[in-house]
Amino acid sequence: MVMFKRTTREDTKLLKVVNELLRVLGKEKVLSGIEDRLCYSYDGTKQKALPDIVIRPNTTSDVSITLKVANKYEIPICARGAGTGLSGGAVPLQGGIVFDLKGMNKILSICPEDFIATVEPGVVTKHLQDEVAKHGLFYPPDPSSAAFSTIGGNVAECAGGITGLKYGVTRDYILALEIVLPDGSIINTGRKTLRSVTGYDLTRLFIGSEGTLGIFTKITVKLIPKPEKIDTLAAFFCERDNAIDAADLVIENNIVPRTLEFMDQMSISAVRGYGGVTLDEDVKALLLIDIDGTGENIKHDLSVVESACKKKNALRVKVAETSKEREAIWAVRRSISPALYNIAPHKINEDVCVPRSRIKELLQKVDQLNDKREIYVANFGHIGDGNVHVNIMFKDEPGQEEIAEKIVHNIMVEVIKLGGTISGEHGIGNKKSQFMDLEILPKELSIMKKLKDFFDPKGIMNPGKLFPSSA
Ligand SMILES: Cc1cc2nc3c(=O)[nH]c(=O)nc-3n(C[C@H](O)[C@H](O)[C@H](O)COP(=O)(O)OP(=O)(O)OC[C@H]3O[C@@H](n4cnc5c(N)ncnc54)[C@H](O)[C@@H]3O)c2cc1C
């Protein structure tokens, strides 16, 4: 656990901040007891750092008041949605204030006639999906954490997920934002219209900003009509390359599936037997494919997909006949993350993305980097977008962590050589900030730093994230 030793002067300052916040917000919204602070000290990376104060705002005004106080005393601020982030974004590395935004969880409006909804940041992604579905509408961004993660966290990370190939990612559905800046002032970016090209696109600048520029307090999203039907197919292969070739052939045939997910041999071994999952021993690679649309087009697309998989030597292809079968196929995919811990107790979960045509090369490079088989590597993910979750697993033995970290570094170098990016969807946080300058050249990095300094001159917003320590 990161604990900063404080001087008496800093303690006195914190006490003043707590008292001022208690006075303006009241004790229900200001927590400073150790039990409360512990609950806000971690995220999905399992890193821990204790905040000094937790604020639970209900309104934009609560956020603004808090930021004014934080700005005056130069106290670090870390926004938190559900804390499911996988790059350290919600971990308050330098203590200070954590904003628990889950209390701002109202769906403010759904306008079916305009294909638009406006929500508070703490709305859980799946709740929004379910509510708009009642109007025959669809909010497509679908991270696997959708049942827990918040829209605010999704916007801050520009979350992707399994529907990205056909429908795009979070940034493709964000029309307007209400944002509280570090000095407590409130701005509105974008418009509640399906198009707007007036001025610079500030909305896009804030999407993926990982809580380093401001706090989103209202989010307007674009909706689309809900597809009539979804069908699911699983294709089983005995060779990894056959599965990759089959995925390519599906797309060459002009079929864009709703999801096109891949699992390699290590991922399959991990889930085999987990939670009742059965997968034959000869299966070494798997494609999980959803097709959506109307009955007629689904029938056509499924037959093209099935024949593409067979052409590329699939051992078998299983089309789900019932919703129970569909659920069983997706249970395999969902169980990977927890099941990987059966292989080794430690996991570094990377989310690199390369042009789809270079996935085979990427996986070959990863094999080469671990040719001594000193650690375990499981690859799975959104093959349709070139976004592969390379999971480096290692044991509690001397030297294993160093080997794992060296392999991760070398993977990043190879990804850049392949024309890819170090993060396709999880963001940079502090976990990947050391690799930023492999991808972002000094000139561009200095522009990003200037933007950060413009919006947050005192550097109070999520310090220690996004930028390498040298920037
Ligand atoms: C099992 C599992 C599966 C996952 N699958 C996917 C996946 O398929 N695709 C994917 O992209 N990610 C995935 N993730 C990662 C994670 O769920 C996403 O990054 C998600 O967007 C984080 O949302 P959150 O509400 O938990 O945010 P948090 O983890 O609480 O915060 C994430 C970042 O957002 C900032 N933030 C939060 N709210 C606000 C706000 N209102 N204003 C400004 N900044 C804010 C925080 O400061 C932090 O930097 C997965 C995680 C888990 C644990």
Side-chain angles (χ1 to χ4, degrees), residues 65-86:
I65 289 169
T66 308
L67 280 172
K68 278 183 187 148
V69 175
N71 193 48
K72 179 164 104 188
Y73 290 97
E74 301 192 17
I75 300 285
I77 288 279
C78 184
R80 181 185 179 87
T84 66
L86 295 174

Side-chain angles (χ1 to χ4, degrees), residues 423-444:
S423 179
E425 57 177 14
H426 293 164
I428 301 300
N430 67 319
K431 292 303 272 183
K432 271 171 278 194
S433 56
Q434 57 181 311
F435 305 125
M436 272 286 269
D437 47 14
L438 290 176
E439 180 173 339
I440 309 289
L441 296 175
K443 181 95 180 155
E444 287 79 23

Side-chain angles (χ1 to χ4, degrees), residues 79 81-85 89 101 121 143-145 150 153-154 156-157 159-160 210 214 216 425 462:
T84 66
L101 291 150
S144 305
S145 52
T150 64
N154 292 173
E157 299 289 4
E210 304 189 16
F216 315 132
E425 57 177 14
N462 219 355

Side-chain angles (χ1 to χ4, degrees), residues 43-44 77-91 99 101 121-122 125 142-146 148-162 209-212 214-217 219 333 337-338 349 351 382 387 389 424-427 429 461-462 465:
D43 74 352
I77 288 279
C78 184
R80 181 185 179 87
T84 66
L86 295 174
S87 52
V91 182
F99 261 121
L101 291 150
T125 316
D142 196 17
S144 305
S145 52
F148 318 99
S149 68
T150 64
I151 297 291
N154 292 173
V155 176
E157 299 289 4
C158 188
I162 57 175
S209 60
E210 304 189 16
T212 64
I215 312 270
F216 315 132
T217 44
I219 298 163
R333 169 68 176 83
S337 284
N349 175 357
D351 63 317
H382 323 302
N387 189 186
H389 292 300
E425 57 177 14
H426 293 164
M461 297 301 294
N462 219 355
K465 311 291 167 63

